[in-house]
Amino acid sequence: MTDPALAEGFDLRRLPDGFIANPYPVYAALREHAPVHVMGRGPSGESLILLTRYADLERVYKDAATFSSDKTVEFGAKFKVAEAGASPLYRHHTTSLVFNDPPRHTRVRRIIAGAFTPRAIAAMEAGIVALVEGLLDAAEARGTIDLIEDFAAAIPVEVIGNLLGVPRSERGPLRDWSLAILGALEPVLSPEVEASGNRAVSEFLAYLDHLVADRRRHPGDPDKDILTRLIQGEVGGERLSPEELLQNCIFILNAGHETTTNLIGNGLHLLAEHPEARARLLATPDLMRKAVEEVLRFESSNQLGNRVATTGFAMGGRDFPAGTQITLCIGAANRDPAQFPDPDTFDVARDPNRHLAFASGIHQCVGMAVARLEGGVALGRFLGRFPGYRLDGEPIRSQRVRFRGFLRLPARLG
């Protein structure tokens, strides 16, 4: 039994002390006592509900007609469009793939997905291995490492930079742009975070204007170069508009950057904190694929998703009207004992493991195979080179509620 007091009055906009460090007791209480939890009302009077059970999230993911991903209304209020016009953040987040419904979503996804075929993914592996080994060589020369700054964050930026064909000398701002843009998706938006996000979108768009113009003059291989594919790709004879093209380049960076950084960082933290799991992986390296899935389940990089109801619906014995805003608590669903035996145990051999870290349904992450490849290579190579690594100093956890990971994770290589 869990403490029902943890669920009473819970609101993502007013987090209790200690929640960021360990949200799982609250998630467990919500699953047990308030699985369809009303968190009050939004700016237009719409109900705000939080779902924490695996079965409820699966239902929402698989019914895209009732539960829409279109954020035009929600983000119009959040980014104050009526007062200030369509800000850069509003234009980006209402144009990118993840916050749209069919037919736009279908058309854009098909164009992007063509660059993530099994053949294309397999062709990336050698480059990712070389990148990881280079980072490990540099770490070995130093003897110490920040597992985020010096390793986990460096990998996806390089991989996405390669996919988009961003010259290596121009990749410096990519991570900061991504962090600023994604920061604006948190449940509470401060003026400082909003200003930083708007500035990042504007700067990134200005950079992409030049990059796209150059790629139009000098196209790459559309089977490997996503930017060329976005420029040339067609669905039903229709290409992306200039706005769709630029905004979805930003989306590709954002979708693959922070979540993959968190996957790698969370994995190294978990293996440092669970020596029995580390020993098992060292003894049986073939378990690495399952271990990556368990990291995704146990400490989901992306903790929250959102939908809005297009029509009235019933859930948890209650009726809700059209316009209800729904927050999907992925972190809670991935610890649901109705789906996962002994869910609070980190089991690197867990099988089956049908977690929802990449969502489900038509919005399942289009780049999940790349994230799995990056995670497997990074964790496997790091553990193989430095089996005795240990944390060295106080980890600094990101204070975001939507994305779970670390800002700093100092370690000694052992």
Side-chain angles (χ1 to χ4, degrees):
M1 291 290 291
T2 59
D3 182 358
L6 293 176
E8 291 174 5
F10 177 76
D11 194 323
L12 286 166
R13 298 166 295 184
R14 296 181 295 276
L15 297 176
D17 292 342
F19 179 85
I20 293 293
N22 183 13
Y24 300 108
V26 175
Y27 289 166
L30 286 164
R31 276 195 315 265
E32 183 175 352
H33 303 289
V36 183
H37 177 65
V38 178
M39 295 190 296
R41 296 193 176 277
S44 302
E46 66 278 10
S47 295
L48 306 178
I49 66 172
L50 177 68
L51 304 182
T52 48
R53 287 184 178 173
Y54 184 98
D56 290 337
L57 265 69
E58 268 211 320
R59 172 189 166 187
V60 170
Y61 280 136
K62 293 182 177 179
D63 186 357
T66 301
F67 304 107
S68 168
S69 292
D70 188 303
K71 298 296 185 294
T72 306
V73 174
E74 179 183 342
F75 286 167
K78 181 169 187 169
F79 299 127
K80 300 178 283 292
V81 168
E83 301 171 19
S87 67
L89 278 170
Y90 176 81
R91 293 203 317 274
H92 168 65
H93 285 306
T94 56
T95 306
S96 69
L97 175 68
V98 71
F99 294 133
N100 272 286
D101 292 331
R104 170 187 264 183
H105 170 268
T106 306
R107 179 168 55 88
V108 176
R109 185 182 175 95
R110 283 179 180 169
I111 292 172
I112 294 175
F116 292 117
T117 62
R119 180 181 175 186
I121 301 298
M124 294 179 193
E125 185 168 2
I128 294 174
V129 168
L131 167 63
V132 167
E133 288 293 343
L135 294 170
L136 296 178
D137 288 342
E140 188 168 27
R142 290 190 307 268
T144 61
I145 188 172
D146 187 295
L147 298 174
I148 305 303
E149 287 291 326
D150 300 328
F151 190 64
I155 296 168
V157 165
E158 290 298 306
V159 171
I160 296 163
N162 291 341
L163 286 173
L164 292 174
V166 177
R168 185 159 279 105
S169 62
E170 299 174 6
R171 296 178 186 181
L174 293 181
R175 186 184 181 209
D176 287 342
W177 281 339
S178 177
L179 291 172
I181 294 166
L182 290 176
L185 295 178
E186 287 293 290
V188 176
L189 178 64
S190 71
E192 295 78 15
V193 169
E194 184 172 15
S196 177
N198 279 321
R199 185 167 56 252
V201 173
S202 297
E203 291 175 358
F204 203 169
L205 288 174
Y207 173 75
L208 287 170
D209 272 334
H210 296 290
L211 190 69
V212 168
D214 180 72
R215 200 61 47 82
R216 289 187 190 279
R217 292 191 299 268
H218 309 288
D221 180 353
D223 288 332
K224 298 178 181 178
D225 179 62
I226 282 188
L227 183 51
T228 298
R229 187 171 195 88
L230 291 175
I231 292 169
Q232 298 180 351
E234 294 185 1
V235 171
E238 187 177 1
R239 291 190 175 185
L240 298 181
S241 70
E243 176 86 347
E244 288 175 325
L245 172 62
L246 297 179
Q247 301 292 6
N248 280 288
C249 287
I250 297 177
F251 159 73
I252 288 167
L253 171 66
N254 291 344
H257 166 245
E258 186 167 6
T259 50
T260 306
T261 296
N262 290 349
L263 162 60
I264 297 167
N266 290 343
L268 290 171
H269 182 259
L270 285 167
L271 290 172
E273 296 287 285
H274 293 80
E276 73 291 344
R278 186 196 318 207
R280 192 172 185 184
L281 275 179
L282 287 168
T284 315
D286 287 348
L287 286 177
M288 182 54 70
R289 182 185 61 80
K290 292 180 180 179
V292 168
E293 300 305 312
E294 181 67 346
V295 172
L296 288 162
R297 181 197 72 84
F298 194 78
E299 288 276 34
S300 303
S301 302
N302 183 16
Q303 293 272 302
L304 303 174
N306 298 92
R307 297 292 188 271
V308 60
T310 61
T311 186
F313 67 100
M315 189 170 285
R318 299 180 60 174
D319 293 325
F320 296 94
T324 298
Q325 291 185 19
I326 303 154
T327 297
L328 308 173
C329 193
I330 298 163
N334 280 343
R335 299 270 192 119
D336 189 342
Q339 176 68 23
F340 303 99
D342 200 11
D344 294 319
T345 295
F346 179 60
D347 179 3
V348 295
R350 186 179 294 274
D351 191 16
N353 193 351
R354 292 184 61 249
H355 60 75
L356 298 174
F358 293 122
S360 184
I362 66 169
H363 281 279
Q364 190 169 46
C365 176
V366 69
M368 60 186 177
V370 179
R372 284 172 164 138
L373 175 60
E374 291 177 70
V377 171
L379 295 178
R381 296 276 168 160
F382 191 98
L383 203 57
R385 285 276 291 271
F386 307 119
Y389 80 96
R390 64 189 187 279
L391 300 183
D392 182 40
E394 189 66 26
I396 301 176
R397 186 175 284 282
S398 167
Q399 295 303 296
R400 301 188 187 198
V401 64
R402 179 176 292 271
F403 299 103
R404 184 161 178 80
F406 295 90
L407 298 176
R408 299 285 186 274
L409 203 54
R412 288 197 174 272
L413 300 176

